[in-house]
Amino acid sequence: MDHLLCGLAANPALSAELVDRLISVADDDIAASLAGREDLSRTQAVALAERVEGSAVRLAYEGRLTAVDVDPSVRPDAALALLDQGVGRPEWARLLAADPVRERREKLAACPGLPADVVDRLAADPDVRVVAELASWTVPEMAARLAAHPHAEVRRAVAGNESTPPGILAALLKGEGLPTARHCLVCDREQIPFVHDRQCARLDCDLPPGASCDGSHEFTVHAVVEAALRNPATPVEAVVGFVDHPSMLVRWTLAARPDLPRQICARLASDTGPGVRADLAENPALDDDLIRLLARDRDPEVRRRLAHHPRVPLDVLTHVVRTARTGAAFLPRIAAASSTEVEELAASPDPVARVLVARRRDLPSDIRDRLADDADAKVVKALAPHPGLTDAQLRAMADRHGVSVLAGVAANPDASLALLEDLVRHEPAARKVFREVARHRRATDTALLVCLTDGRARPVAAGHPALPAPVIEELLADADWRVVEAAAANPSLPSAVAADLVHRR
């Protein structure tokens, strides 16, 4: 890979002439960078697609190529990309339905708005993977028809299709009212009974780990049940009977459904599988009593997931955050807190509650300023990137709490140029500060030069437009390819240097 040219191809300041020159020498990697340019013209997009076939698909998805620019017999994958967006031509679908490459027919089967004759042809495709892909996305009428397909893999796909009629989904879930499946992916390929080794070393094998068939296609039938349980179109009255299913995976799938009755949630809350309880903990169907029950769960993952519940009571949330690691995530319940609740959290004697609310970025100025003076470093660290803080407040936070808050202060969008320069020279150093300053829009060349001394911040700083031009030129020969690419993509790279680099290649 030519990292220098890849970086130049992404440089937003590159002239149209140099873009044309790069197109003429582009390989797959350079083309990937060129295809992402916002200023790429239609003429350039067509030229790039002709130069590098693989770029045509991305260009089609991004609207740079249209049906006028694509010949499906020459660029079938680009034609499929346009059909996938509903902007291809019907005759293309008829041509591609007969494509000898199975993967293309499979891709076609997922496209919306296909002509009825093409859908019928795909439904009768000799490769069951094509039929299954059609079953995953097709309209209700065809989904109902494919539910009786003799291959269990097609039925699994139907069970996951949200357009499948509810009655059909219930039948697939219960295994009633449909003819028995006669094939599955396992018995298609192996002599039964067969159980696929979970550590299978065959490079040409794509069977799922543990896939098995004893003649009843049990592995795929089980997958049909899971797909139907996961499908929101499956009637809730059809799924509740699986609450005591012997398979933990089935109960686990059930636990995520947001339409479960209260009594089913209560049963799952005492399930022996911690994964079942963890998925249930985020389920919006839970009421306060069950939320409080799960807050006492012995498994920390259950409590961690409960912290992400959109309606968890604030007192429960602060308890859960204290007993399970939630990281620095901005939790949904805090995002939805009312102004009264925000005030209560900010005034709480519990620093955990104050940390939670300090992560908001829309605090009223009086609350923001009060938290800026908080005695707890964790509260100040959470608040430090909040916009609106003055330079004096940010400096006071850094002086009081030192390295524990410096990265947050450096991430503040209102940090002054002088403050950023002081932060990168702070003793003792806080390594995360360098990365934050390196990406800060207001960083000065003085601060960026210090950031270049840190290995992790160096590739970020190399792309900052405030970096002096001579330094950018030096970085083009750096030993780290990430630095080379970033420097080449830097819009402050002198145009004469960029032109020389392009023409020398």
Side-chain angles (χ1 to χ4, degrees):
M1 178 185 293
D2 190 328
H3 295 289
L4 198 151
L5 288 188
C6 284
L8 283 171
N11 192 316
L14 210 65
S15 68
E17 177 194 356
L18 292 181
V19 172
D20 289 339
R21 171 66 177 169
L22 283 174
I23 289 172
S24 70
V25 299
D27 57 15
D28 289 345
D29 298 314
I30 296 169
S33 295
L34 288 168
R37 295 186 63 89
E38 293 184 1
D39 62 350
L40 199 70
S41 70
R42 177 172 174 268
T43 300
Q44 289 172 327
V46 171
L48 182 59
E50 290 176 352
R51 168 72 185 180
V52 181
E53 172 67 27
S55 67
V57 173
R58 178 176 176 181
L59 292 167
Y61 271 116
E62 294 185 356
R64 306 295 180 86
L65 296 180
T66 66
V68 176
D69 306 312
V70 174
D71 180 346
S73 64
V74 177
R75 295 194 179 87
D77 294 326
L80 281 167
L82 293 175
L83 285 168
D84 190 36
Q85 298 174 88
V87 294
R89 293 174 175 168
E91 59 267 26
W92 293 0
R94 295 186 176 94
L95 174 69
L96 291 165
D99 195 293
V101 178
R102 183 264 304 170
E103 288 82 3
R104 291 194 181 122
R105 304 197 308 277
E106 198 171 354
K107 175 72 174 177
L108 177 66
C111 294
L114 295 174
D117 59 309
V118 173
V119 173
D120 287 338
R121 180 166 185 169
L122 293 170
D125 196 277
D127 195 305
V128 71
R129 290 169 291 186
V130 175
V131 185
E133 189 66 19
L134 177 69
S136 295
W137 306 102
T138 193
V139 296
E141 296 77 13
M142 179 56 73
R145 175 177 144 191
L146 292 176
H149 196 279
H151 204 287
E153 184 65 17
V154 175
R155 300 187 185 202
R156 181 203 57 75
V158 172
N161 186 339
E162 294 184 19
S163 295
T164 301
I168 297 295
L169 289 169
L172 286 167
L173 184 62
K174 297 179 179 179
E176 300 172 352
L178 294 170
T180 303
R182 299 197 298 272
H183 311 281
C184 71
L185 292 179
V186 179
C187 62
D188 280 350
R189 308 175 193 183
E190 306 290 345
Q191 184 174 354
I192 59 171
F194 177 82
V195 178
H196 187 218
D197 186 350
R198 292 185 178 276
Q199 306 300 323
C200 179
R202 291 185 296 176
L203 298 179
D204 61 343
C205 181
D206 60 358
L207 285 175
S212 64
C213 181
D214 60 6
S216 64
H217 322 299
E218 67 278 5
F219 183 84
T220 311
V221 168
H222 192 280
V224 169
V225 170
E226 287 188 44
L229 288 174
R230 196 174 291 113
N231 193 328
T234 304
V236 67
E237 56 271 19
V239 308
V240 294
F242 288 82
V243 67
D244 294 318
H245 195 277
S247 169
M248 187 184 71
L249 291 177
V250 167
R251 304 194 308 276
W252 199 336
T253 304
L254 178 64
R257 285 190 63 106
D259 57 353
L260 294 177
R262 200 269 177 193
Q263 63 270 26
I264 299 301
C265 290
R267 298 263 286 280
L268 292 170
S270 60
D271 196 278
T272 56
V276 176
R277 303 194 306 277
D279 269 20
L280 180 70
E282 287 188 88
N283 195 319
L286 293 179
D287 61 20
D288 281 6
D289 288 342
L290 291 176
I291 288 174
R292 292 182 183 279
L293 173 66
L294 289 170
R296 301 191 298 271
D297 197 280
R298 63 187 180 277
D299 191 288
E301 179 63 12
V302 175
R303 301 194 303 275
R304 188 190 71 79
R305 298 281 289 280
L306 190 67
H308 293 266
H309 193 283
R311 290 185 297 97
V312 58
L314 292 176
D315 64 312
V316 175
L317 179 58
T318 54
H319 165 74
V320 167
V321 169
R322 194 180 297 109
T323 62
R325 294 182 181 274
T326 58
F330 183 41
L331 302 173
R333 180 64 179 87
I334 299 301
S338 67
S339 57
T340 300
E341 290 173 328
V342 167
E343 175 63 46
E344 291 174 353
L345 287 166
S348 172
D350 186 348
V352 171
R354 302 199 303 277
V355 167
L356 288 173
V357 75
R359 289 176 181 155
R360 287 182 65 132
R361 295 294 174 257
D362 59 350
L363 294 173
S365 58
D366 59 326
I367 293 178
R368 178 200 64 207
D369 293 345
R370 190 194 321 156
L371 292 173
D373 293 329
D374 201 282
D376 193 297
K378 291 181 180 178
V379 176
V380 176
K381 178 182 178 181
L383 181 81
H386 197 294
L389 290 167
T390 67
D391 196 64
Q393 286 175 310
L394 292 170
R395 286 184 179 277
M397 295 160 74
D399 290 341
R400 283 199 313 273
H401 301 287
V403 293
S404 62
V405 305
L406 294 186
V409 171
N412 192 290
D414 299 315
S416 69
L417 283 64
L419 176 57
L420 293 174
E421 291 180 1
D422 290 343
L423 289 172
V424 297
R425 294 193 181 95
H426 189 277
E427 292 293 342
R431 311 309 299 182
K432 290 183 179 179
V433 166
F434 299 123
R435 296 196 295 279
E436 293 296 344
V437 173
R439 64 172 64 97
H440 201 290
R441 62 183 177 83
R442 304 178 75 178
T444 63
D445 55 353
T446 302
L448 290 168
L449 290 173
V450 179
C451 293
L452 286 172
T453 63
D454 180 79
R456 297 181 68 180
R458 189 175 176 84
V460 183
H464 199 293
L467 207 60
V471 176
I472 299 173
E473 290 183 55
E474 289 178 14
L475 294 174
L476 295 173
D478 199 87
D480 187 334
W481 67 266
R482 298 172 303 166
V483 175
V484 172
E485 277 200 15
N490 194 317
S492 295
L493 180 71
S495 56
V497 175
D500 182 59
L501 290 169
V502 171
H503 288 294
R504 273 197 286 145
R505 285 311 201 260

